[in-house]
Coordinates of all heavy atoms in Angstrom, one line a residue:
M1 N -35.9 28.0 31.5 CA -35.3 26.7 31.5 C -34.4 26.5 30.3 O -34.9 26.0 29.3 CB -36.5 25.7 31.6 CG -36.0 24.3 31.9 SD -37.5 23.3 32.3 CE -37.4 22.0 31.1
A2 N -33.2 26.9 30.4 CA -32.3 26.7 29.3 C -31.5 25.4 29.4 O -30.9 25.1 30.5 CB -31.4 27.9 29.3
E3 N -31.4 24.8 28.3 CA -30.6 23.5 28.3 C -29.4 23.8 27.4 O -29.4 23.6 26.2 CB -31.5 22.4 27.8 CG -32.5 21.9 28.8 CD -33.2 20.7 28.3 OE1 -32.6 19.9 27.5 OE2 -34.4 20.5 28.7
E4 N -28.3 24.1 28.1 CA -27.1 24.4 27.4 C -26.3 23.1 27.0 O -25.6 23.1 26.1 CB -26.2 25.3 28.2 CG -26.9 26.6 28.6 CD -26.6 27.7 27.6 OE1 -25.4 27.9 27.2 OE2 -27.5 28.5 27.2
E5 N -26.5 22.1 27.9 CA -25.7 20.9 27.7 C -26.3 20.0 26.6 O -27.5 20.1 26.3 CB -25.7 20.1 29.0 CG -24.6 20.7 29.9 CD -24.5 19.8 31.2 OE1 -24.6 18.6 31.1 OE2 -24.3 20.4 32.3
E6 N -25.4 19.3 26.0 CA -25.8 18.3 25.0 C -26.6 17.2 25.7 O -26.3 16.8 26.8 CB -24.6 17.6 24.4 CG -24.0 18.4 23.3 CD -22.8 17.6 22.7 OE1 -22.1 17.0 23.5 OE2 -22.6 17.6 21.5
S7 N -27.6 16.8 25.0 CA -28.4 15.6 25.5 C -27.5 14.4 25.2 O -26.7 14.4 24.3 CB -29.7 15.5 24.8 OG -29.6 15.1 23.5
P8 N -27.8 13.3 25.9 CA -27.0 12.1 25.6 C -27.1 11.6 24.2 O -26.2 11.1 23.6 CB -27.6 11.0 26.5 CG -28.2 11.8 27.6 CD -28.7 13.1 27.0
Q9 N -28.3 11.8 23.6 CA -28.5 11.4 22.2 C -27.6 12.3 21.2 O -27.0 11.8 20.3 CB -30.0 11.6 21.8 CG -30.3 10.7 20.6 CD -31.7 11.1 20.0 OE1 -32.5 11.6 20.7 NE2 -31.9 10.9 18.8
E10 N -27.6 13.6 21.5 CA -26.8 14.5 20.7 C -25.3 14.1 20.7 O -24.6 14.0 19.8 CB -27.0 15.9 21.1 CG -28.2 16.6 20.5 CD -28.4 18.0 21.1 OE1 -28.0 18.3 22.2 OE2 -29.1 18.7 20.4
R11 N -24.9 13.8 22.0 CA -23.5 13.4 22.2 C -23.2 12.1 21.4 O -22.2 12.0 20.8 CB -23.3 13.2 23.7 CG -21.8 13.2 24.0 CD -21.5 13.0 25.4 NE -22.2 14.1 26.2 CZ -22.1 14.2 27.5 NH1 -21.4 13.4 28.2 NH2 -22.7 15.2 28.1
R12 N -24.1 11.2 21.5 CA -23.9 9.9 20.8 C -23.8 10.1 19.3 O -23.0 9.5 18.6 CB -25.1 8.9 21.1 CG -24.6 7.5 21.2 CD -25.8 6.6 21.5 NE -26.5 6.3 20.2 CZ -27.0 5.2 19.9 NH1 -26.9 4.2 20.8 NH2 -27.6 4.9 18.8
E13 N -24.7 10.9 18.7 CA -24.7 11.2 17.3 C -23.4 11.8 16.9 O -22.8 11.5 15.8 CB -25.9 12.1 16.9 CG -27.1 11.3 16.7 CD -28.3 12.2 16.5 OE1 -28.2 13.5 16.3 OE2 -29.5 11.7 16.7
R14 N -22.9 12.8 17.7 CA -21.6 13.4 17.4 C -20.5 12.4 17.4 O -19.6 12.4 16.6 CB -21.4 14.5 18.4 CG -21.0 15.8 17.8 CD -21.2 17.0 18.7 NE -20.6 16.7 20.0 CZ -19.5 17.3 20.6 NH1 -18.9 18.2 19.9 NH2 -19.1 17.0 21.7
W15 N -20.5 11.6 18.4 CA -19.5 10.6 18.5 C -19.5 9.6 17.3 O -18.4 9.3 16.8 CB -19.7 9.8 19.8 CG -18.7 8.7 20.1 CD1 -17.5 8.8 20.6 CD2 -18.8 7.3 19.7 NE1 -16.8 7.6 20.6 CE2 -17.6 6.7 20.1 CE3 -19.8 6.5 19.2 CZ2 -17.4 5.3 19.9 CZ3 -19.6 5.2 19.0 CH2 -18.5 4.6 19.4
M16 N -20.7 9.2 16.9 CA -20.8 8.3 15.8 C -20.2 8.9 14.5 O -19.6 8.3 13.7 CB -22.2 7.8 15.6 CG -22.6 6.7 16.5 SD -24.3 6.3 16.6 CE -24.7 5.8 14.9
E17 N -20.6 10.2 14.4 CA -20.1 10.9 13.2 C -18.6 11.0 13.2 O -18.0 10.8 12.1 CB -20.7 12.3 13.2 CG -20.7 13.1 11.9 CD -21.3 14.4 12.0 OE1 -22.5 14.5 12.4 OE2 -20.6 15.4 11.9
R18 N -18.0 11.2 14.3 CA -16.6 11.3 14.4 C -15.9 10.0 14.1 O -14.9 9.9 13.4 CB -16.2 11.8 15.8 CG -14.9 12.7 15.8 CD -14.6 13.2 17.1 NE -14.5 12.2 18.2 CZ -14.5 12.4 19.5 NH1 -14.6 13.6 19.9 NH2 -14.5 11.4 20.3
E19 N -16.5 8.9 14.7 CA -16.0 7.6 14.4 C -16.0 7.2 13.0 O -15.1 6.6 12.4 CB -16.7 6.6 15.3 CG -16.4 6.6 16.8 CD -14.9 6.4 17.1 OE1 -14.4 5.4 16.7 OE2 -14.3 7.3 17.6
A20 N -17.1 7.6 12.3 CA -17.3 7.3 10.9 C -16.2 8.0 10.1 O -15.7 7.4 9.2 CB -18.7 7.7 10.5
R21 N -15.9 9.2 10.5 CA -14.9 9.9 9.8 C -13.5 9.3 10.0 O -12.8 9.2 9.1 CB -14.9 11.4 10.2 CG -14.4 12.3 9.1 CD -14.6 13.8 9.5 NE -16.0 14.1 9.8 CZ -16.3 15.0 10.8 NH1 -15.4 15.6 11.5 NH2 -17.6 15.3 11.0
K22 N -13.3 8.9 11.2 CA -12.0 8.2 11.5 C -11.9 6.9 10.7 O -10.8 6.6 10.1 CB -11.9 7.9 13.0 CG -11.1 9.0 13.7 CD -10.6 8.5 15.0 CE -11.6 8.2 16.1 NZ -11.1 7.9 17.4
A23 N -12.9 6.2 10.6 CA -12.9 4.9 9.9 C -12.6 5.1 8.4 O -11.9 4.4 7.8 CB -14.2 4.2 10.1
D24 N -13.2 6.2 7.9 CA -13.0 6.6 6.5 C -11.5 6.9 6.2 O -11.0 6.5 5.2 CB -13.9 7.8 6.2 CG -14.3 7.8 4.7 OD1 -14.6 6.7 4.2 OD2 -14.1 8.8 4.1
E25 N -10.9 7.6 7.2 CA -9.5 8.0 7.0 C -8.6 6.7 7.1 O -7.6 6.7 6.4 CB -9.1 8.9 8.1 CG -9.6 10.4 7.8 CD -9.5 11.3 9.0 OE1 -8.8 10.9 10.0 OE2 -10.1 12.3 9.0
R26 N -9.1 5.7 7.8 CA -8.2 4.6 8.0 C -8.3 3.6 6.8 O -7.5 2.8 6.6 CB -8.6 3.8 9.3 CG -7.5 3.8 10.3 CD -7.9 2.9 11.5 NE -8.6 3.7 12.5 CZ -9.8 3.4 13.0 NH1 -10.4 2.3 12.6 NH2 -10.4 4.1 13.9
R27 N -9.4 3.7 6.0 CA -9.6 2.8 4.9 C -8.4 3.0 3.9 O -8.1 4.1 3.5 CB -10.9 3.1 4.2 CG -11.4 2.0 3.3 CD -12.7 2.4 2.7 NE -13.7 2.6 3.7 CZ -14.8 3.4 3.4 NH1 -15.0 3.9 2.2 NH2 -15.7 3.6 4.3
P28 N -7.8 1.9 3.5 CA -6.7 2.0 2.6 C -7.1 2.5 1.2 O -8.1 2.1 0.7 CB -6.1 0.6 2.5 CG -7.3 -0.3 2.9 CD -8.1 0.5 3.8
K29 N -6.3 3.5 0.7 CA -6.6 4.0 -0.6 C -5.8 3.3 -1.7 O -6.1 3.4 -2.8 CB -6.2 5.5 -0.7 CG -7.1 6.4 0.3 CD -8.4 6.9 -0.5 CE -9.1 7.9 0.4 NZ -10.2 7.3 1.1
K30 N -4.8 2.5 -1.2 CA -4.0 1.8 -2.1 C -3.9 0.3 -1.7 O -4.0 0.0 -0.5 CB -2.6 2.4 -2.2 CG -2.5 3.7 -2.9 CD -1.1 4.1 -3.1 CE -1.1 5.4 -3.9 NZ 0.3 5.9 -4.2
A31 N -3.7 -0.5 -2.6 CA -3.6 -2.0 -2.3 C -2.6 -2.6 -3.3 O -2.2 -1.9 -4.3 CB -4.9 -2.6 -2.3
K32 N -2.3 -3.8 -3.1 CA -1.5 -4.6 -4.0 C -2.2 -5.8 -4.5 O -2.8 -6.5 -3.8 CB -0.2 -5.0 -3.3 CG 0.9 -5.4 -4.2 CD 2.2 -5.7 -3.4 CE 3.0 -4.4 -3.3 NZ 4.4 -4.6 -3.7
C33 N -2.2 -6.0 -5.8 CA -2.8 -7.1 -6.4 C -2.2 -8.4 -5.9 O -1.0 -8.6 -5.9 CB -2.7 -7.1 -8.0 SG -3.4 -8.5 -8.7
A34 N -3.1 -9.3 -5.4 CA -2.6 -10.5 -4.8 C -2.1 -11.5 -5.9 O -1.4 -12.5 -5.5 CB -3.7 -11.2 -4.0
S35 N -2.4 -11.2 -7.1 CA -2.0 -12.2 -8.2 C -0.7 -11.7 -8.9 O 0.2 -12.5 -8.9 CB -3.1 -12.3 -9.2 OG -2.8 -13.2 -10.1
C36 N -0.7 -10.5 -9.3 CA 0.5 -10.1 -10.1 C 1.4 -9.1 -9.3 O 2.5 -8.7 -9.7 CB 0.1 -9.4 -11.4 SG -0.7 -7.8 -11.3
G37 N 0.9 -8.6 -8.1 CA 1.7 -7.8 -7.3 C 1.7 -6.3 -7.7 O 2.5 -5.5 -7.1
K38 N 0.9 -6.0 -8.7 CA 0.8 -4.6 -9.1 C 0.2 -3.7 -8.1 O -0.8 -4.1 -7.4 CB 0.0 -4.5 -10.4 CG 0.1 -3.2 -11.1 CD -0.4 -3.3 -12.6 CE -2.0 -3.2 -12.6 NZ -2.5 -3.3 -14.0
D39 N 0.7 -2.5 -7.9 CA 0.1 -1.5 -7.0 C -1.2 -0.9 -7.6 O -1.2 -0.5 -8.8 CB 1.1 -0.4 -6.7 CG 2.2 -0.8 -5.7 OD1 1.9 -1.6 -4.8 OD2 3.3 -0.4 -5.9
V40 N -2.3 -1.0 -6.9 CA -3.5 -0.5 -7.4 C -4.1 0.5 -6.4 O -4.0 0.4 -5.2 CB -4.5 -1.6 -7.7 CG1 -4.2 -2.3 -9.0 CG2 -4.6 -2.6 -6.5
E41 N -4.8 1.5 -7.0 CA -5.4 2.5 -6.1 C -6.9 2.3 -6.0 O -7.5 1.5 -6.7 CB -5.1 3.9 -6.8 CG -3.7 4.3 -6.6 CD -3.5 5.7 -7.1 OE1 -4.4 6.5 -7.2 OE2 -2.3 6.0 -7.5
E42 N -7.5 3.0 -5.1 CA -8.9 2.8 -4.8 C -9.7 2.9 -6.1 O -9.5 3.9 -6.9 CB -9.4 3.9 -3.8 CG -10.7 3.6 -3.3 CD -11.2 4.7 -2.3 OE1 -10.7 5.8 -2.4 OE2 -12.0 4.4 -1.4
G43 N -10.6 2.0 -6.4 CA -11.4 2.1 -7.6 C -10.8 1.2 -8.7 O -11.5 0.9 -9.7
E44 N -9.5 0.9 -8.5 CA -8.8 0.1 -9.6 C -8.7 -1.4 -9.2 O -8.2 -2.2 -10.0 CB -7.4 0.7 -9.9 CG -7.5 2.0 -10.5 CD -6.1 2.6 -10.7 OE1 -5.1 2.1 -10.1 OE2 -5.9 3.5 -11.5
F45 N -9.1 -1.7 -8.0 CA -9.0 -3.1 -7.6 C -10.4 -3.6 -7.2 O -11.2 -2.9 -6.8 CB -7.9 -3.3 -6.6 CG -8.2 -2.5 -5.3 CD1 -9.0 -3.1 -4.3 CD2 -7.6 -1.3 -5.1 CE1 -9.2 -2.4 -3.1 CE2 -7.8 -0.6 -3.9 CZ -8.6 -1.2 -2.9
I46 N -10.5 -4.9 -7.2 CA -11.7 -5.6 -6.8 C -11.3 -6.7 -5.8 O -10.3 -7.4 -6.0 CB -12.4 -6.2 -8.0 CG1 -12.7 -5.2 -9.1 CG2 -13.7 -7.0 -7.6 CD1 -12.0 -5.3 -10.3
E47 N -12.2 -6.8 -4.8 CA -11.9 -7.9 -3.9 C -12.7 -9.2 -4.4 O -13.9 -9.1 -4.6 CB -12.5 -7.6 -2.5 CG -11.7 -8.3 -1.4 CD -12.2 -8.0 0.0 OE1 -12.3 -6.8 0.3 OE2 -12.5 -8.9 0.8
F48 N -11.9 -10.2 -4.7 CA -12.5 -11.4 -5.3 C -12.1 -12.6 -4.5 O -10.9 -12.9 -4.3 CB -12.0 -11.5 -6.7 CG -12.5 -12.7 -7.5 CD1 -13.9 -12.7 -7.8 CD2 -11.7 -13.8 -7.8 CE1 -14.4 -13.8 -8.5 CE2 -12.2 -14.9 -8.5 CZ -13.5 -14.9 -8.9
E49 N -13.1 -13.3 -3.9 CA -12.8 -14.5 -3.1 C -11.8 -14.1 -2.0 O -10.9 -14.9 -1.7 CB -12.3 -15.6 -4.0 CG -13.4 -16.2 -4.9 CD -13.0 -17.3 -5.8 OE1 -11.7 -17.5 -5.9 OE2 -13.8 -17.9 -6.4
G50 N -12.0 -13.0 -1.4 CA -11.1 -12.6 -0.3 C -9.7 -12.1 -0.6 O -8.9 -11.8 0.2
R51 N -9.5 -11.9 -2.0 CA -8.2 -11.4 -2.4 C -8.4 -10.1 -3.2 O -9.4 -9.9 -3.8 CB -7.5 -12.5 -3.3 CG -7.3 -13.8 -2.6 CD -6.3 -14.6 -3.3 NE -6.6 -14.7 -4.7 CZ -5.7 -15.1 -5.7 NH1 -4.5 -15.4 -5.3 NH2 -6.0 -15.2 -6.9
I52 N -7.3 -9.3 -3.1 CA -7.4 -8.0 -3.8 C -6.8 -8.3 -5.2 O -5.7 -8.8 -5.3 CB -6.5 -7.0 -3.1 CG1 -7.0 -6.7 -1.7 CG2 -6.5 -5.7 -4.0 CD1 -8.3 -5.9 -1.6
L53 N -7.6 -8.0 -6.2 CA -7.1 -8.2 -7.6 C -7.2 -7.0 -8.4 O -8.2 -6.2 -8.3 CB -7.9 -9.4 -8.3 CG -7.8 -10.8 -7.7 CD1 -8.8 -11.7 -8.5 CD2 -6.4 -11.3 -7.7
C54 N -6.2 -6.8 -9.3 CA -6.4 -5.6 -10.2 C -7.4 -6.0 -11.3 O -7.8 -7.2 -11.4 CB -5.0 -5.3 -10.9 SG -4.4 -6.5 -12.0
A55 N -7.8 -5.1 -12.1 CA -8.8 -5.3 -13.1 C -8.4 -6.5 -14.1 O -9.2 -7.3 -14.4 CB -9.1 -4.1 -13.9
D56 N -7.1 -6.5 -14.5 CA -6.7 -7.6 -15.4 C -6.8 -8.9 -14.7 O -7.3 -9.9 -15.4 CB -5.2 -7.3 -15.7 CG -5.1 -6.1 -16.7 OD1 -6.1 -5.7 -17.3 OD2 -3.9 -5.6 -16.8
C57 N -6.3 -9.1 -13.5 CA -6.3 -10.4 -12.9 C -7.7 -10.8 -12.5 O -8.1 -12.0 -12.5 CB -5.4 -10.3 -11.6 SG -3.7 -10.1 -12.0
Y58 N -8.6 -9.8 -12.3 CA -10.0 -10.1 -12.0 C -10.6 -10.7 -13.2 O -11.3 -11.7 -13.1 CB -10.7 -8.8 -11.5 CG -12.2 -9.0 -11.3 CD1 -12.6 -9.9 -10.3 CD2 -13.1 -8.4 -12.0 CE1 -14.0 -10.1 -10.0 CE2 -14.5 -8.6 -11.8 CZ -14.9 -9.4 -10.8 OH -16.2 -9.6 -10.6
A59 N -10.4 -10.1 -14.4 CA -10.9 -10.6 -15.6 C -10.4 -12.0 -15.9 O -11.1 -12.9 -16.3 CB -10.5 -9.7 -16.8
D60 N -9.1 -12.2 -15.6 CA -8.4 -13.6 -15.7 C -9.2 -14.6 -14.8 O -9.5 -15.7 -15.2 CB -7.0 -13.5 -15.2 CG -6.0 -13.5 -16.4 OD1 -6.4 -13.2 -17.5 OD2 -4.9 -14.0 -16.2
A61 N -9.4 -14.2 -13.6 CA -10.0 -15.1 -12.6 C -11.4 -15.5 -13.0 O -11.8 -16.6 -12.9 CB -10.0 -14.4 -11.2
L62 N -12.1 -14.5 -13.6 CA -13.5 -14.8 -14.0 C -13.4 -15.8 -15.2 O -14.2 -16.7 -15.3 CB -14.2 -13.5 -14.5 CG -14.7 -12.6 -13.4 CD1 -15.4 -11.4 -14.0 CD2 -15.7 -13.4 -12.5
E63 N -12.5 -15.5 -16.1 CA -12.3 -16.4 -17.3 C -12.0 -17.8 -16.8 O -12.6 -18.8 -17.4 CB -11.2 -15.9 -18.1 CG -11.6 -15.7 -19.6 CD -10.5 -15.0 -20.4 OE1 -9.6 -15.6 -20.8 OE2 -10.7 -13.8 -20.5
K64 N -11.1 -18.0 -15.9 CA -10.8 -19.3 -15.4 C -12.0 -20.0 -14.8 O -12.2 -21.2 -14.9 CB -9.6 -19.2 -14.4 CG -8.3 -19.3 -15.0 CD -7.1 -19.1 -14.0 CE -5.9 -18.6 -14.7 NZ -5.0 -17.9 -13.8
D65 N -12.7 -19.2 -14.0 CA -14.0 -19.8 -13.4 C -14.9 -20.3 -14.5 O -15.4 -21.4 -14.4 CB -14.7 -18.6 -12.7 CG -14.5 -18.7 -11.2 OD1 -13.5 -19.5 -10.8 OD2 -15.2 -18.1 -10.4
M66 N -15.0 -19.6 -15.6 CA -15.9 -20.0 -16.7 C -15.3 -21.2 -17.4 O -16.0 -22.1 -17.7 CB -16.1 -18.8 -17.7 CG -17.2 -17.9 -17.2 SD -17.7 -16.8 -18.5 CE -16.4 -15.5 -18.4
D67 N -14.0 -21.2 -17.6 CA -13.3 -22.4 -18.2 C -13.6 -23.6 -17.4 O -13.9 -24.7 -18.0 CB -11.8 -22.1 -18.3 CG -11.5 -21.2 -19.4 OD1 -12.4 -20.8 -20.2 OD2 -10.3 -20.7 -19.5
M68 N -13.4 -23.5 -16.1 CA -13.7 -24.7 -15.2 C -15.1 -25.2 -15.4 O -15.3 -26.4 -15.4 CB -13.4 -24.3 -13.8 CG -11.9 -24.5 -13.4 SD -11.4 -23.5 -12.0 CE -12.5 -24.2 -10.7
G69 N -16.0 -24.3 -15.5 CA -17.4 -24.7 -15.6 C -17.6 -25.4 -17.0 O -18.3 -26.4 -17.1
A70 N -16.9 -24.9 -18.0 CA -17.1 -25.4 -19.3 C -16.4 -26.8 -19.4 O -17.0 -27.8 -20.0 CB -16.4 -24.5 -20.4
A71 N -15.2 -26.9 -18.7 CA -14.5 -28.2 -18.7 C -15.3 -29.3 -18.0 O -15.4 -30.5 -18.5 CB -13.2 -28.1 -18.1
E72 N -16.0 -28.9 -17.0 CA -16.8 -29.8 -16.2 C -17.9 -30.3 -17.1 O -18.2 -31.5 -17.1 CB -17.4 -29.1 -15.0 CG -17.4 -29.9 -13.8 CD -17.9 -29.1 -12.6 OE1 -17.1 -28.3 -12.0 OE2 -19.1 -29.1 -12.3
G73 N -18.5 -29.4 -17.9 CA -19.6 -29.8 -18.8 C -19.1 -30.8 -19.9 O -19.8 -31.7 -20.2
A74 N -17.9 -30.5 -20.4 CA -17.4 -31.3 -21.5 C -16.9 -32.7 -21.0 O -16.8 -33.6 -21.7 CB -16.3 -30.6 -22.2
G75 N -16.4 -32.7 -19.7 CA -15.9 -33.9 -19.1 C -14.5 -34.2 -19.6 O -14.0 -35.3 -19.4
A76 N -13.8 -33.2 -20.1 CA -12.4 -33.4 -20.5 C -11.5 -32.5 -19.7 O -11.9 -31.4 -19.3 CB -12.3 -33.0 -22.0
G77 N -10.3 -33.0 -19.4 CA -9.3 -32.2 -18.6 C -8.4 -31.4 -19.4 O -7.3 -31.5 -19.7
Ligands
ZN101 ZN1 -3.0 -8.2 -11.0

């Protein structure tokens, strides 16, 4: 009793593996900073509040967030 054919499960696993590889290829390796427009490569940008930011602009955004918090506490504009 030889089973030469793939079982449905094996076929599914193969298909999922292939799809995962395709998705990986489709993932952008490069992006553009939404704030300063600089071209950034994978690993050099961060998604912040739904926007792509370079490391500099991300630090800026974090600082502004903190400033806003501080201003709120001081009650001055
Ligand atoms: Zn930037």
Side-chain angles (χ1 to χ4, degrees):
M1 192 166 118
E3 286 185 31
E4 301 267 317
E5 276 184 40
E6 273 182 324
S7 71
Q9 199 194 337
E10 275 175 339
R11 194 177 306 181
R12 217 181 81 140
E13 275 171 16
R14 228 161 47 113
W15 178 83
M16 277 167 65
E17 201 180 293
R18 211 177 52 195
E19 287 301 302
R21 208 171 303 146
K22 263 203 290 188
D24 206 46
E25 281 166 14
R26 241 184 276 129
R27 198 180 301 158
K29 294 271 188 262
K30 286 186 178 185
K32 194 174 273 235
C33 175
S35 185
C36 69
K38 190 166 84 176
D39 286 323
V40 282
E41 287 184 25
E42 192 179 27
E44 292 179 340
F45 61 84
I46 300 115
E47 208 179 309
F48 181 69
E49 291 177 347
R51 301 195 311 161
I52 301 288
L53 295 179
C54 68
D56 287 343
C57 293
Y58 178 62
D60 252 28
L62 281 185
E63 230 171 84
K64 268 178 206 153
D65 258 16
M66 276 194 276
D67 282 352
M68 269 158 63
E72 220 174 278

